[in-house]
Amino acid sequence: MDTQIRGIHHVTAMTSSATKIYRFFTDILGMRLIKKTVNQDDIETYHLYFTDDTGAPGTDMTFFDFPNQPKGKKGTDTISRASFRVPSDAALDFWLERFEKYDVTHSAINERFGKKYIEFEDFDNQYYQLISDENNQGVAAGIPWKNSNVPTEFAITGLGPVFVRVSQLEHIRLILEKILGFKETDHSGDFYLFEIGEGGNGASIIIEHRTDLPKAIEGFGNIHHLALRVADKEALEYWIQVINKIELPNSGFVDRFYFQSEYFLAAHHVLFELATDGPGFLEDEPAESAGEKLSLPPFLEERREAIEAYVRPFDTSDANKKRDR
């Protein structure tokens, strides 16, 4: 049985507007909306999945748009930033110009742990980073979206390191190293780099140790949870036993149809998920039209009429149209 955690599976955040985040990710970042569905625990809320061209695990940034939620507050004890991989240092120069063109708040090009990066924000003050794969080895990148308006040589190819900001460093280090199997591979100031499996940008978590900040408060503009990849249901069941043995608060087995998972608290207010690589996002709709209409897993399909009456109208009929450069 392959029980090795393989890297980052997805990151789920909260947005104030499904429509605006759809436009930001497809028109500006050039990522694909491969699944438009609802939060299976709150059917009044959209759940949007943005990925590479094929919907591969490790390329997936997702969003909830909870009705009437407040804006989140930044601080410590939170998953603080998601990263996206680009092929080269030269790609970062392209993105600097693109962010200027679209008036996206961003930093200059900087370097940490031997990798160059740009930090940027969306309309909700959600924190992101582009990171160069130029000096990267490890988990393979995804495939750029074929209908993107970003040239392939500069395009986003998947998720990079995810930042977790904590007030108690030793607790999260214990969970990562002794329980999950990560290795600490570098350290710079308040930042600690942990890698797992094949390593590299697609299999890294960066812990930021901060005791000088208030506790973060959940809301739009903040990240909800981080998911890590496991091979299949058998591997997931192994990890459920591990998490239960050490008595971390957890959800137990959850079938999301597109993958199976378990959620657990890795640290105070820091929610991790373990998610299987399959079956994938094309189980219930063809690849050529994925994301254009509301998809529902089989156990929600009989409630479609009521669900469609709950959620706010949101047009994604152009999800597979070629974006103009």
Side-chain angles (χ1 to χ4, degrees):
M1 178 172 56
D2 176 10
T3 61
Q4 173 71 61
I5 291 174
R6 298 178 167 192
I8 305 301
H9 189 284
H10 67 267
V11 175
T12 295
M14 294 164 285
T15 182
S16 63
S17 170
T19 301
K20 289 173 70 175
I21 205 68
Y22 171 57
R23 289 299 165 199
F24 185 81
F25 266 75
T26 59
D27 296 346
I28 297 178
L29 297 187
M31 294 179 68
R32 181 182 186 183
L33 176 68
I34 203 161
K35 188 63 59 181
K36 174 187 177 181
T37 185
V38 293
N39 180 339
Q40 295 175 16
D41 301 318
D42 180 358
I43 59 173
E44 296 183 30
T45 302
Y46 281 114
H47 195 175
L48 307 178
Y49 293 79
F50 300 96
T51 68
D52 74 344
D53 193 62
T54 66
T59 71
D60 182 13
M61 183 85 191
T62 92
F63 288 89
F64 300 137
D65 71 330
F66 293 110
N68 304 313
Q69 70 173 326
K71 182 175 175 59
K73 294 185 179 180
K74 307 297 184 185
T76 194
D77 294 325
T78 188
I79 300 165
S80 56
R81 189 183 300 270
S83 298
F84 302 105
R85 299 166 65 176
V86 294
S88 65
D89 292 353
L92 295 179
D93 294 322
F94 167 86
W95 283 97
L96 280 180
E97 294 183 11
R98 188 168 180 84
F99 288 157
E100 288 291 329
K101 175 181 178 181
Y102 288 101
D103 198 27
V104 174
T105 299
H106 65 87
S107 71
I109 297 174
N110 294 300
E111 185 171 327
R112 182 187 293 120
F113 302 135
K115 313 282 180 64
K116 291 187 177 180
Y117 67 92
I118 301 171
E119 294 176 345
F120 68 101
E121 301 176 19
D122 68 12
F123 52 89
D124 283 332
N125 192 221
Q126 183 80 249
Y127 290 169
Y128 308 98
Q129 171 186 275
L130 293 177
I131 188 166
S132 170
D133 270 351
E134 179 130 338
N135 298 316
N136 184 62
Q137 294 180 338
V139 172
I143 301 170
W145 182 32
K146 64 185 178 184
N147 290 327
S148 172
N149 55 13
V150 177
T152 300
E153 64 269 28
F154 303 135
I156 289 172
T157 58
L159 290 171
V162 180
F163 289 73
V164 180
R165 187 183 289 154
V166 297
S167 57
Q168 297 181 27
L169 176 62
E170 291 311 312
H171 173 83
I172 194 69
R173 176 182 273 144
L174 174 67
I175 296 298
L176 290 176
E177 291 187 331
K178 302 301 183 182
I179 306 303
L180 300 179
F182 280 79
K183 294 180 180 179
E184 184 178 342
T185 57
D186 211 340
H187 166 223
S188 176
D190 294 329
F191 295 93
Y192 299 78
L193 176 63
F194 292 84
E195 300 180 66
I196 198 162
E198 296 179 48
N201 285 337
S204 295
I205 292 176
I206 295 176
I207 300 299
E208 182 184 6
H209 183 213
R210 296 292 294 271
T211 59
D212 59 328
L213 298 174
K215 304 296 184 184
I217 298 177
E218 189 173 278
F220 71 80
N222 281 3
I223 290 172
H224 188 272
H225 65 268
L226 157 64
L228 302 171
R229 294 173 57 194
V230 296
D232 50 29
K233 184 179 178 182
E234 189 178 18
L236 177 64
E237 289 173 342
Y238 164 83
W239 282 105
I240 290 174
Q241 293 179 15
V242 171
I243 299 302
N244 281 332
K245 186 174 182 179
I246 61 173
E247 299 183 343
L248 288 177
N250 69 87
S251 66
F253 178 83
V254 180
D255 189 349
R256 295 301 189 194
F257 182 64
Y258 308 111
F259 48 85
Q260 292 90 43
S261 64
E262 179 195 37
Y263 302 82
F264 67 96
L265 279 177
H268 186 60
H269 287 171
V270 176
L271 183 63
F272 279 14
E273 176 184 359
L274 295 163
T276 60
D277 275 357
F281 296 113
L282 302 178
E283 288 294 291
D284 57 351
E285 57 183 338
E288 59 270 17
S289 60
E292 294 176 10
K293 297 179 180 179
L294 182 67
S295 293
L296 296 174
F299 60 89
L300 289 179
E301 187 59 49
E302 64 181 20
R303 302 171 63 187
R304 175 175 289 275
E305 185 175 348
I307 290 171
E308 289 182 339
Y310 285 142
V311 294
R312 298 171 297 289
F314 168 39
D315 183 16
T316 57
S317 59
D318 66 345
N320 292 290
K321 291 183 179 178
K322 182 73 174 179
R323 297 306 194 259
D324 293 332
R325 291 189 177 178

